[in-house]
Amino acid sequence: ELVVQFQVLNQSCQCLAWKPRPVGVWGAESQHVVAGYSDGTIRVFSVSRTEMELKMHPHSTALTAITYSTDGEMILSGSKDGLVAVSSPRTGMTIHVLADHKGSPITVLQCTRKQYHDFGVEGGELWLATSSDRRVSVWASDWLQDKCELLDWLSFPAPADPEGLDLPPSLAAFCPWEQGALVYVGFGMQEEALFYSLRKKQVIRRVSLPAFATSLSLSPAAPLMALGFRARLLRLQPCPAGDPQDYAGHDDTVHLCRFAPSGRCLLTASHSAVLVWELTGS
C-alpha cells in the first residue's frame, strides 16, 4: 500500500536515508527522510506531516550518497565530484566540506557508534566515505565540538581499467559483529570481499566471490553478508566461514541489498523488481 509520495519536478532523486530513531526510545519510528537530488540539493521530508521541511544546496553537482549521523543531528552527503558535506538539519547550514575524495564520485557514506577511543582519537562516532576510485576514508567525529579527524585511509589496488568496461561500484561497510573491522568489495585484483582491521591497519580476511559484487549489506543480527551480482544472483555468505547460499529471482543486476534493522528480512532491488526475503534461520 502506498502511504505517502513526495515529488520534486524536473529533478531525479539519487539517494535517500531514514533519520535514525532516538536512542533509548523503544518502538519510536523515524518520521523523517532525507533525499539527495541531481541538482546538488538536499531535501528533508516529514512522513507524518506529508510535507517538505527543509531544502539545502551544499553541492554543485549531483548527489550520489547520503546518510544521517548516528544521533540524527547531522546530514552527511557526497556528490559526483567527490566532495563530502556535513550539514545541520536544525539550522540548514553546511558546517564542513571535505575534499579528500575530490575527483571521484562518492559511492557510500556510513556512520556507526563504534568505540572511537579504542583508536586513540576523540569523537562521538566513526564514519566512512567510499569513492569509485577504490579509496575509503574513515573518520572520528564529535559534531557538538566541531571535531572531525581522519582515522585511516585505504586504497585498494586493481588492474588497469579496461577500456569501455562498466566497472562494479566500490562499496564498504562497518562490520556489526567484528569490532574495529570493515568490509570492502569492488573492482580489484581478485573477485573477493576484504575484511580490514582498523586496529591492525591491514586486511585480515578474504572471502572469495563468484564475480565482482554490485551490492553489499551486513546483517546487524548475525555474522552474515548479503551480496548482489550482475548475473542476477543474490548470495548470503556466512562469516567468517561457511557455505554460501545463492538465490535467483531477479531480472537484472542486483544493485541494492539492505538488511532490516532486525536482521530478519532482506530487501533487494534490480532494474524493475524489489524483492523482500524472510531469513528464517536468523
Side-chain angles (χ1 to χ4, degrees):
E1 178 184 357
L2 178 63
V3 178
V4 62
Q5 183 172 341
F6 301 102
Q7 285 186 312
V8 176
L9 297 178
N10 303 319
Q11 296 298 330
S12 59
C13 179
Q14 309 281 62
C15 47
L16 54 83
W18 283 96
K19 182 178 181 179
R21 66 184 184 185
V23 178
V25 182
W26 297 104
E29 293 297 329
S30 174
Q31 293 294 326
H32 288 87
V33 173
V34 64
Y37 287 84
S38 52
D39 62 350
T41 58
I42 293 172
R43 291 170 170 84
V44 177
F45 298 100
S46 169
V47 176
S48 57
R49 296 165 57 188
T50 64
E51 65 181 21
M52 185 181 77
E53 291 189 348
L54 179 66
K55 177 183 175 182
M56 298 180 284
H57 201 159
H59 297 277
S60 60
T61 58
L63 272 81
T64 51
I66 199 163
T67 191
Y68 275 94
S69 60
T70 54
D71 59 8
E73 293 298 315
M74 293 293 166
I75 293 171
L76 285 72
S77 55
S79 60
K80 190 176 180 180
D81 60 6
L83 297 182
V84 175
V86 182
S87 308
S88 168
R90 290 185 181 272
T91 65
M93 301 291 291
T94 298
I95 60 173
H96 289 290
V97 176
L98 305 171
D100 299 73
H101 290 269
K102 188 175 182 179
S104 184
I106 302 297
T107 53
V108 177
L109 291 169
Q110 186 193 9
C111 300
T112 183
R113 290 190 186 95
K114 289 287 185 179
Q115 297 298 312
Y116 56 90
H117 50 259
D118 288 353
F119 304 101
V121 295
E122 296 182 2
E125 67 182 13
L126 295 186
W127 62 275
L128 63 77
T130 308
S131 51
S132 59
D133 57 1
R134 300 175 299 279
R135 295 186 297 169
V136 181
S137 59
V138 182
W139 305 77
S141 297
D142 188 334
W143 305 120
L144 295 178
Q145 300 295 325
D146 198 28
K147 291 181 178 179
C148 187
E149 181 179 349
L150 181 64
L151 179 66
D152 208 340
W153 183 265
L154 291 65
S155 293
F156 293 96
D161 294 351
E163 287 292 330
L165 181 64
D166 183 18
L167 297 179
S170 301
L171 305 172
F174 290 111
C175 188
W177 61 83
E178 194 164 339
Q179 193 173 21
L182 61 83
V183 179
Y184 171 85
V185 296
F187 182 64
M189 308 304 290
Q190 302 290 335
E191 297 163 331
E192 58 190 2
L194 303 176
F195 284 73
Y196 178 88
S197 170
L198 292 169
R199 290 194 182 86
K200 297 180 180 179
K201 294 190 180 297
Q202 65 183 38
V203 174
I204 55 175
R205 192 178 313 121
R206 299 171 184 266
V207 177
S208 296
L209 302 176
F212 291 118
T214 52
S215 53
L216 168 73
S217 186
L218 307 182
S219 171
L224 186 67
M225 284 194 299
L227 300 131
F229 300 92
R230 283 195 173 132
R232 299 176 290 180
L233 178 72
L234 169 68
R235 168 166 288 192
L236 293 180
Q237 175 69 60
C239 297
D243 295 330
Q245 297 176 322
D246 292 338
Y247 299 93
H250 287 280
D251 58 354
D252 206 332
T253 299
V254 184
H255 64 76
L256 178 75
C257 297
R258 191 70 52 83
F259 279 102
S262 65
R264 291 193 292 268
C265 290
L266 174 70
L267 182 143
T268 59
S270 59
H271 175 67
S272 60
V274 176
L275 304 182
V276 180
W277 308 77
E278 184 178 7
L279 303 175
T280 55
S282 298

